[in-house]
Structures are given as structure tokens and as C-alpha cells.
Amino acid sequence: MDAIYCADEFNQCRSILSNVNRVLKPGGIFAFLSYSRPEFLLPAIAPNDGSKPKWESIQVQGLESIILYRLQKGAKSERSKLSTNKRRR
């Protein structure tokens, strides 16, 4: 386990997931367990307003009394595309 956090506000969840996305290597996976149902957490995980974080894959699996969320960062981030373009010049 890499981290344990408790967030009870929507903006806290969004901030935590944004920072996880920022430090996760391209193609990396972040998984967490929560008692919150998907209809409450998915707006923080995958906002419809075009803001970060952006995940290539989001999987939600209900277990007996808890829900597993598995998020995968895209293989190439915008930052890695920019650094590749700079090297070509």
C-alpha cells in the first residue's frame, strides 16, 4: 500500500486524484477501495468539464461491502509529448 487517505469533500477527492495523476508514470495504475458508491465518486474521477485528471481506463468493481476503483493513466502524457517535441528540435 502506497497511501491511505480520508477525504469527505468533493474538492479534496479531486485534488488527491489530480496529484496522483501528476506523479504516476505513464501507463501506471492507481487502485483504491472506498465505501462511496460510483455515482458519488465518478464525477471527481472523471469530470465532464474537461479538467484534469484524465485517465485512460477506469474500472469499478463491487465487492461484498466495499468498492474497488482501478484507474490507469494514459501511456503518453501531455508532458512527455512536449519533452519529445523539444528533443527533436
Side-chain angles (χ1 to χ4, degrees), residues 8 13 24 26 32-34 37-38 40 42-43 45 53 55 59 73-74 76 80 85:
D8 60 353
C13 292
L24 199 62
F32 67 97
L33 300 168
S34 177
R37 294 189 336 237
F40 299 116
L42 286 178
I45 296 170
W55 302 99
Q59 298 175 1
K73 185 173 182 174
K76 283 228 173 186
S80 65
N85 289 338

Side-chain angles (χ1 to χ4, degrees), residues 1-73:
M1 176 153 320
D2 292 332
I4 296 176
Y5 69 88
C6 180
D8 60 353
E9 291 183 19
F10 184 79
N11 288 335
Q12 287 176 316
C13 292
R14 202 173 210 179
S15 177
I16 290 166
L17 292 171
S18 179
N19 282 307
V20 166
N21 185 279
R22 181 180 57 82
V23 300
L24 199 62
K25 70 180 182 177
I29 295 171
F30 176 68
F32 67 97
L33 300 168
S34 177
Y35 291 106
S36 295
R37 294 189 336 237
E39 55 266 29
F40 299 116
L41 276 181
L42 286 178
I45 296 170
N48 289 331
D49 60 5
S51 63
K52 296 267 181 181
K54 301 214 187 257
W55 302 99
E56 182 175 290
S57 170
I58 299 172
Q59 298 175 1
V60 179
Q61 180 179 356
L63 305 175
E64 276 189 45
S65 62
I66 199 162
I67 300 170
L68 171 67
Y69 294 84
R70 182 183 181 274
L71 314 176
Q72 182 171 9
K73 185 173 182 174

Side-chain angles (χ1 to χ4, degrees), residues 71-86:
L71 314 176
Q72 182 171 9
K73 185 173 182 174
K76 283 228 173 186
S77 68
E78 288 300 316
R79 181 174 283 178
S80 65
K81 289 178 188 175
L82 291 174
S83 62
T84 303
N85 289 338
K86 286 180 182 177

